[in-house]
Amino acid sequence: MIRINQIAQRTGAPPSIKELARALGISSSHLRARFRASCGVSIGRHLRRLRLEQACGLLRLGPQRVSEIAEQCGFGSIYSFSRAFRLAYGISPLAFRHSGKAAPGRRT
């Protein structure tokens, strides 16, 4: 997980699973299996969490529109971004921005 986080931080946008596998010199399927075995969570879920954390920072500090942040963080649409954000944090991205709070806590 540490190596994957380091690779993700080096790139501007969060990397895809294929890009991570290539950087690590292994296949995508092998990366998925090893990551789940060692971390107990899918690599896709982990990467989505990283993208949402990046989005929280941009929403808090940046002047960009929510749709621009969604695109910058690797979400295919504002709808998919808003849905993922709401599922993870229980609040919409726009409501989070206007709340002035720090990063929201994870929902259980």
Side-chain angles (χ1 to χ4, degrees):
M1 185 183 293
I2 292 169
R3 181 82 171 111
I4 288 171
N5 289 347
Q6 289 171 340
I7 294 169
Q9 288 174 347
R10 269 191 264 144
T11 61
S16 69
I17 293 171
K18 279 186 176 182
E19 292 168 337
L20 283 172
R22 193 176 311 118
L24 295 169
I26 58 177
S27 72
S28 297
S29 59
H30 189 66
L31 173 60
R32 289 175 204 268
R34 292 215 27 214
F35 192 88
R36 184 178 287 278
S38 66
C39 299
V41 66
S42 74
I43 191 164
R45 183 171 290 212
H46 178 70
L47 292 174
R48 184 173 43 251
R49 185 178 52 98
L50 289 177
R51 293 192 332 252
L52 288 169
E53 288 174 1
Q54 178 186 15
C56 283
L58 293 171
L59 286 165
R60 222 181 356 218
L61 304 173
Q64 300 112 315
R65 295 180 14 219
V66 174
S67 59
E68 293 170 337
I69 292 171
E71 184 178 333
Q72 184 177 345
C73 293
F75 289 90
S77 70
I78 183 70
Y79 174 77
S80 63
F81 171 61
S82 294
R83 186 173 191 280
F85 198 95
R86 192 178 294 270
L87 285 171
Y89 301 118
I91 187 172
S92 73
L94 195 57
F96 168 71
R97 171 176 268 172
H98 293 304
S99 72
K101 295 181 180 178
R106 302 270 316 158
R107 289 181 67 183
T108 55

